[in-house]
Amino acid sequence: MESARVETIYEQNAKVFKAFCDEKRLRILELLQGGEKCTCVLIEEMEMPQSSLSYHMKVLCESGVVEGRQDGKWTHYHISEKGSLWAMELLKELTATTLTREIACACCGK
């Protein structure tokens, strides 16, 4: 039997929100709005070392909002249309109110 841990839907969803919860990653997304960018361009624009950028790009790619493609020794990144739409739908789903019967609070009965 395989002992690999199965990722829960909550862990998958948390990756999306983790991508948006850092000001540096938000700036990277803003840069990618103009189209695909090479790692070398992002390093220069963000004024950060390659190792720091690599961490942020890993988080963005794991979320599905950004995709990368190798071209020689450099990676070129772009915003994923599919991942972006999924992130928007996820937020709508998680914040939508439902008309289900409310459960009364045990302490006050409301």
Side-chain angles (χ1 to χ4, degrees):
M1 180 173 195
E2 190 175 326
S3 63
R5 187 171 167 273
V6 177
E7 187 175 56
T8 70
I9 190 70
Y10 299 111
E11 290 169 323
Q12 292 171 4
N13 292 349
K15 286 181 179 181
V16 172
F17 295 106
K18 181 178 181 180
F20 297 125
C21 74
D22 182 272
E23 62 274 4
K24 289 181 178 87
R25 290 192 285 275
L26 293 175
R27 173 73 177 121
I28 291 167
L29 288 171
E30 183 179 58
L31 290 169
L32 294 177
Q33 285 178 319
E36 184 178 82
K37 300 280 185 292
C38 178
T39 305
C40 63
V41 171
L42 294 172
I43 288 169
E44 185 177 318
E45 289 291 322
M46 295 297 297
E47 297 179 349
M48 67 171 52
Q50 188 275 330
S51 59
S52 296
L53 179 69
S54 179
Y55 169 75
H56 290 294
M57 298 315 297
K58 178 179 182 268
V59 171
L60 288 166
C61 288
E62 285 180 350
S63 76
V65 175
V66 170
E67 295 176 337
R69 71 172 179 83
Q70 282 298 129
D71 186 16
K73 71 175 194 168
W74 297 105
T75 304
H76 296 258
Y77 294 99
H78 65 275
I79 294 175
S80 164
E81 185 177 344
K82 181 180 175 184
S84 296
L85 290 173
W86 183 73
M88 288 188 300
E89 287 302 315
L90 176 60
L91 181 59
K92 281 175 36 177
E93 180 183 314
L94 290 173
T95 58
T97 57
T98 60
L99 300 176
T100 60
R101 182 180 64 86
E102 291 186 27
I103 299 172
C105 180
C107 62
C108 65
K110 293 183 180 183

